[in-house]
Amino acid sequence: MARKMECIAMLLAGGQGSRLGILTKNIAKPAVPYGGKYRIIDFPLSNCVNSGISTVGVLTQYQPLELNDYIGNGQPWDLDRANGGVHILSPYQQIKGSEWYKGTANAIYQNITFIDRYNPEYVAILSGDHIYKMDYSKMLAYHKEKDAACTIAMLEVPWEEASRFGLMLVDEDNKITEFEEKPKNPRSNKASMGVYIFTWSKLRQYLIDDEANPNSSNDFGHDVIPAMHNAGEKMYAYLFDGYWKDVGTIDSLWEANLDLLNPKVDLDLSDPTWKIYSKTPTAPPHYVAPTATVQNSMIGEGSQVFGELDFSILFHNVTVEEGAVVRDSIVMPGTVIKAGAVVQYAIVAENAVIAENAVVGERPEAMANLDDWGVAVVGAGVTVHKGARVAPKAMIDTDVEEA
Amino acid sequence: MTGNNILGIIYSNKYDECLSEITGLRTMGSVPFVGRYRLIDFALSNMVNSGIEKVGVITKSNYQSLMDHLGTGKPWDLSRKTEGMFILPPFSSAGNTGTYTNRVEMLRGVMGFIARSNEEYVLLSDCNVVLNLDIDELMAFHTENNADISVVCKHGVLPKLDNIMQLDLNGENRVERIALAPNTTGEVDYSLNMILMKRSLLQRLVNESVSLNQESFERDIMQGNTQKLRIFGFPVTGFARTIDSLVDYFKVSMELLDPANCAELFNPDRPIYTKVRDDMPAIYGLGSTVKNSLIASGCIIDGEVENSILFRGVRVEKGAVVKNSILMQGSFVAAGSTLNYTIADKSVAITPNKTLSGAENYPVFVGKGIVI
């Protein structure tokens, strides 16, 4: 029997993130690189550690190899613990047969035994898809104060975007009165962030009941939460007012990266009291050559910049040769951008090569029809040969031949 | 015994006095170097990259910063159940002579540790040497020459260090004569003080020296045995530097602004490991100008930086100018200030509108935590 924990976290990291296209061809969405050195999952994992939650189950299913390898024994997040720590929980075989995780609720249901080992009072259910810094311990204190069965973190979003989210209607005490899932005409702008705290004894029973219901899709948002609500459980919304972004699409991933360069955006990664941990690459400091110009950008360790860099994020060990231009773009680890190449409004994944005088992406002002414009994406390991062009909005996962 | 049969021994305090400004608060091994490293990282990483699994780090004084840096040895993969990294401070065991004044005493103090090890060979190393060495090649050289002792050496101007060994090599790289810190200005072959020999031989030589009340490793053990033992010099040709003074520290650091030197020292096949600090990547603001510089993670640059090395978490405000300088971890340069040929130790703060200017052969040094 493991030592009792007051609160443990279960991190849903099995999603494919299909709207990220070729970026998630071989890796799960939470493993997608972000912000010059991180991966998306670093945010919820670091939030857990910084909030004092030291037992985290990570539920993986889609392309788990890279994610499992990345998390390892949890050491970069200080989650290599004798008691608790990080555990990778993949679907497994049982006597009655083997079963994939059918839905988010089923994923937790299949791991009830894992949670019971720690005999927690509370369980935080988190998503591995979001960029945000949040103190879960404050939310837990709120959950206890309200004596709630379930507390859902909510964020006030702009009204015009509200219809993309799961919304909550609350009373003056922030008690949830009604849910709306992506409604056409939203009556609330309070969106769910996909961060839940449950009183475990309650949730455990609802999960068992949900599993027994053959009509259920075994999903938190569709089934378990409405069931709890219909049964009259005390459900509260916890207002969060910091930076939060779902990086589910190419555009939002691109934006969320470049948000780091905007001083007005409330996402400070240099705060020593709330560090975001990650597996740090073994590389020397990056080098900016006499021929380089660097403006409003972020550069990771081991990179070498001889060319021009403007409003861009370079991960570690990226080379930008003399005469190459990178602007409004994200370039992931190990990629080489050769002399005379131009990369603009693009995401270039790991270990790609953009050869001499190739052009990736286009500036929106150069487009005749803005509907054809979008961020260009070059997949991992792809070579864009000399002089070739990658059109805006294109997604390239095979080499592009010489023009 | 697992790994490659070599026991690593690192002297962390040797030649502290050469860099007295920086080592006032730390050991030579914990002197910060090239933006994110400490000097001991090179010796440790070289050892680990060749498969050495047991390393003893001899400390004498001022070693808190070193222990803080090394921790359990995890960054070098030396936090192990069997073997791994061992810190060997003075006064740490019976028969230990207490604080050390010379290499023979240092070795005598750790003879118990050496005797309890099972490795067939021992590699001794100082910390003021910066290179990326393939120790497998050294071992092959040692075996090929049927050497008793192999000394890693370099051809160049002799560093100004006490008892530095100048080696006279014959055509087969055998050491025929050793001169100790001779007065010479030309290029010679000199020892980088990485020395490989059988563990049993080291034990015998140290025991002999102790019984004869000899004090000097270089004079009594090395020079004294040039005829009796087969001593060979293993010449290195790539980027290898011995740091012998603050000016030299500055010069060697600046040489790494040449990408060719940097690529040799930080060979990705044999990475140099160091303690992780979990900083964000460096951020360059609008209007910043950076030329020919090495910038570590966590830096926020809004001003002008040229020919400089910025360690982790340095901030240069808009309107500040940093040229030909080395700013260690967490330093801060406020608007309107100008630094030229300056070495700032950790957490130095330069308040607005100050000017500090040294010269290439005499950089200004600002001590740890000083606010100007």
Side-chain angles (χ1 to χ4, degrees):
Chain A
M1 194 70 189
R3 204 177 73 200
K4 181 178 171 64
M5 297 280 170
E6 188 193 26
C7 181
I8 75 169
M10 298 296 273
L11 182 49
L12 300 163
Q16 178 184 356
S18 54
R19 286 174 300 160
L20 289 174
I22 54 173
L23 293 179
T24 52
K25 191 170 82 174
N26 296 314
I27 56 177
K29 182 175 166 190
V32 167
Y34 168 82
K37 75 176 279 199
Y38 307 96
R39 292 179 190 256
I40 298 169
I41 198 168
D42 289 332
F43 286 80
L45 280 179
S46 301
N47 285 340
C48 281
V49 174
N50 291 335
S51 305
I53 298 177
S54 59
T55 303
V56 183
V58 178
L59 299 130
T60 64
Q61 176 155 294
Y62 173 78
Q63 287 285 6
L65 176 67
E66 184 140 342
L67 191 60
N68 293 357
D69 189 39
Y70 182 69
I71 293 172
N73 67 352
Q75 193 267 337
W77 305 270
D78 241 346
L79 286 172
D80 53 335
R81 306 281 175 111
N83 280 300
V86 72
H87 295 261
I88 305 270
L89 304 170
S90 298
Y92 53 90
Q93 278 194 330
Q94 307 164 44
I95 284 186
K96 60 181 185 194
S98 56
E99 237 185 332
W100 292 106
Y101 294 149
K102 289 179 286 178
T104 49
N106 175 257
I108 306 296
Y109 170 82
Q110 290 200 36
N111 288 289
I112 284 179
T113 331
F114 168 80
I115 300 173
D116 280 345
R117 276 166 64 190
Y118 297 96
N119 188 21
E121 300 296 319
Y122 310 100
V123 173
I125 308 287
L126 310 169
S127 151
D129 299 351
H130 306 136
I131 304 291
Y132 65 113
K133 299 201 305 184
M134 180 176 181
D135 190 343
Y136 304 136
S137 70
K138 287 187 181 152
M139 180 170 166
L140 179 62
Y142 177 88
H143 178 87
K144 288 195 264 185
E145 178 197 315
K146 298 290 184 191
D147 191 26
C150 169
T151 301
I152 303 174
M154 69 171 179
L155 182 80
E156 289 184 345
V157 296
W159 279 97
E160 59 271 24
E161 289 177 25
S163 59
R164 290 171 37 214
F165 293 93
L167 304 173
M168 289 172 271
L169 277 72
V170 296
D171 69 10
E172 65 284 355
D173 191 31
N174 279 335
K175 189 169 181 187
I176 298 168
T177 56
E178 219 176 308
F179 289 95
E180 282 192 321
E181 188 64 24
K182 299 180 183 167
K184 279 215 177 71
N185 300 305
R187 286 181 294 149
S188 160
N189 69 336
K190 293 180 172 64
S192 164
M193 295 164 57
V195 174
Y196 309 93
I197 289 179
F198 291 95
T199 299
W200 175 234
S201 54
K202 297 266 187 194
L203 176 63
R204 196 177 186 282
Q205 193 53 50
Y206 280 96
L207 287 174
I208 292 168
D209 296 347
D210 179 67
E211 188 64 19
N213 177 0
N215 300 321
S216 171
S217 58
N218 307 115
D219 183 86
F220 271 98
H222 283 116
D223 308 293
V224 176
I225 304 271
M228 291 181 86
H229 185 60
N230 293 338
E233 295 288 354
K234 283 166 89 178
M235 304 179 81
Y236 279 84
Y238 173 77
L239 187 64
F240 174 79
D241 65 353
Y243 181 91
W244 177 88
K245 196 147 203 159
D246 181 356
V247 285
T249 62
I250 294 292
D251 286 350
S252 65
L253 178 66
W254 180 79
E255 264 173 39
N257 271 282
L258 294 177
D259 275 348
L260 290 171
L261 300 175
N262 183 350
K264 292 191 191 105
V265 167
D266 179 26
L267 180 64
D268 178 10
L269 301 184
S270 66
D271 178 1
T273 64
W274 203 272
K275 278 191 173 181
I276 302 302
Y277 301 98
S278 70
K279 208 170 189 172
T280 299
T282 302
H286 68 263
Y287 176 67
V288 178
T291 52
T293 43
V294 178
Q295 285 294 302
N296 203 17
S297 291
M298 189 178 234
I299 309 180
E301 306 276 56
S303 286
Q304 294 189 307
V305 183
F306 298 87
E308 194 185 324
L309 194 60
D310 189 11
F311 200 51
S312 293
I313 307 259
L314 288 196
F315 281 70
H316 42 271
N317 298 324
V318 172
T319 305
V320 179
E321 290 187 358
E322 192 172 345
V325 178
V326 178
R327 53 188 167 227
D328 306 284
S329 294
I330 322 295
V331 184
M332 292 180 185
T335 288
V336 179
I337 297 171
K338 300 214 165 166
V342 177
V343 174
Q344 49 197 356
Y345 292 93
I347 297 177
V348 183
E350 296 112 304
N351 303 314
V353 177
I354 311 297
E356 286 84 354
N357 303 316
V359 178
V360 176
E362 187 53 272
R363 323 180 80 159
E365 33 309 7
M367 298 295 292
N369 183 356
L370 263 188
D371 292 340
D372 298 335
W373 182 83
V375 173
V377 183
V378 176
V382 168
T383 300
V384 177
H385 286 281
K386 279 186 192 166
R389 287 190 86 89
V390 174
K393 226 177 186 173
M395 263 204 193
I396 304 297
D397 65 348
T398 49
D399 291 2
V400 182
E401 291 312 316
E402 209 164 308
Chain B
M1 210 284 306
T2 53
N4 68 354
N5 221 356
I6 305 174
L7 168 69
I9 298 279
I10 298 175
Y11 304 102
S12 67
N13 284 93
K14 193 65 193 167
Y15 300 124
D16 278 358
E17 64 286 354
C18 299
L19 278 182
S20 53
E21 294 89 345
I22 307 180
T23 57
L25 300 159
R26 44 174 92 88
T27 63
M28 181 60 92
S30 45
V31 165
F33 190 67
V34 223
R36 67 191 298 249
Y37 301 95
R38 306 279 186 151
L39 287 176
I40 197 170
D41 293 339
F42 296 93
L44 272 178
S45 302
N46 285 332
M47 289 179 175
V48 168
N49 286 335
S50 77
I52 289 180
E53 305 215 321
K54 184 173 186 181
V55 180
V57 178
I58 302 178
T59 65
K60 184 178 81 173
S61 51
N62 269 349
Y63 50 87
Q64 193 188 322
S65 70
L66 184 76
M67 292 182 60
D68 186 38
H69 178 67
L70 296 177
T72 60
K74 185 85 194 166
W76 302 270
D77 241 347
L78 285 172
S79 173
R80 305 277 183 94
K81 258 186 174 167
T82 46
E83 314 304 14
M85 187 197 67
F86 296 81
I87 294 180
L88 307 168
F91 304 106
S92 58
S93 65
N96 185 315
T97 49
T99 192
Y100 319 117
T101 53
N102 58 57
R103 283 185 202 267
V104 175
E105 275 183 17
M106 277 187 218
L107 286 171
R108 188 185 160 198
V110 300
M111 264 307 142
F113 171 77
I114 292 176
R116 282 191 306 277
S117 298
N118 303 313
E119 284 75 5
E120 191 177 356
Y121 293 91
V122 178
L123 178 68
L124 306 168
S125 178
D126 288 351
C127 284
N128 62 328
V129 181
V130 176
L131 85 164
N132 192 321
L133 179 72
D134 185 344
I135 292 170
D136 295 344
E137 275 179 25
L138 171 65
M139 191 69 222
F141 170 90
H142 187 81
T143 317
E144 219 169 85
N145 287 304
N146 193 19
D148 293 312
I149 299 177
S150 292
V151 183
V152 179
C153 65
K154 179 182 151 76
H155 190 78
V157 177
L158 195 69
K160 290 175 188 54
L161 293 171
D162 282 350
N163 280 342
I164 178 94
M165 293 186 285
Q166 184 239 307
L167 311 173
D168 283 354
L169 303 178
N170 71 9
E172 273 85 51
N173 287 323
R174 175 145 186 201
V175 177
E176 295 191 319
R177 197 181 76 99
I178 296 176
L180 296 183
N183 197 357
T184 158
T185 50
E187 296 210 335
V188 294
D189 290 308
Y190 63 88
S191 161
L192 294 175
N193 289 343
M194 296 184 79
I195 297 172
L196 179 72
M197 68 179 95
K198 281 216 162 117
R199 188 170 58 94
S200 54
L201 177 62
L202 179 71
Q203 286 176 293
R204 179 165 69 79
L205 293 172
V206 172
N207 287 338
E208 267 173 26
S209 287
V210 169
S211 61
L212 294 170
N213 205 17
Q214 293 171 339
E215 288 173 350
S216 168
F217 182 84
E218 290 87 348
R219 186 187 66 217
D220 302 318
I221 293 183
M222 296 297 290
Q223 200 179 32
N225 284 307
T226 323
Q227 305 309 321
K228 278 182 250 165
L229 298 173
R230 289 174 62 83
I231 303 181
F232 280 77
F234 176 72
V236 292
T237 46
F239 185 86
R241 299 287 184 273
T242 300
I243 294 170
D244 65 2
S245 64
L246 187 67
V247 175
D248 202 44
Y249 169 86
F250 183 76
K251 199 182 105 215
V252 174
S253 299
M254 290 304 165
E255 281 182 279
L256 287 163
L257 291 179
D258 179 345
N261 288 339
C262 212
E264 271 189 71
L265 185 58
F266 298 105
N267 178 347
D269 295 335
R270 295 193 301 269
I272 305 299
Y273 303 95
T274 191
K275 185 181 170 188
V276 164
R277 215 183 83 122
D278 287 294
D279 288 290
M280 63 173 184
I283 291 188
Y284 294 73
L286 209 55
S288 65
T289 326
V290 178
K291 300 276 180 200
N292 194 35
S293 294
L294 283 166
I295 313 285
S297 56
C299 287
I300 301 178
I301 304 172
D302 291 304
E304 192 182 332
V305 178
E306 198 181 331
N307 303 332
S308 294
I309 297 176
L310 270 51
F311 281 66
R312 294 182 280 201
V314 169
R315 302 188 66 147
V316 179
E317 280 195 341
K318 210 178 195 74
V321 179
V322 177
K323 286 186 175 172
N324 308 306
S325 294
I326 298 174
L327 307 183
M328 293 185 196
Q329 192 171 306
S331 293
F332 170 76
V333 187
S337 282
T338 300
L339 304 183
N340 196 9
Y341 292 108
T342 299
I343 301 175
D345 204 323
K346 281 172 76 172
S347 308
V348 162
I350 314 288
T351 57
N353 305 316
K354 304 292 182 295
T355 301
L356 291 182
S357 189
E360 193 169 359
N361 62 354
Y362 202 90
V364 176
F365 180 82
V366 185
K368 188 173 173 180
I370 287 177
V371 177
I372 294 184

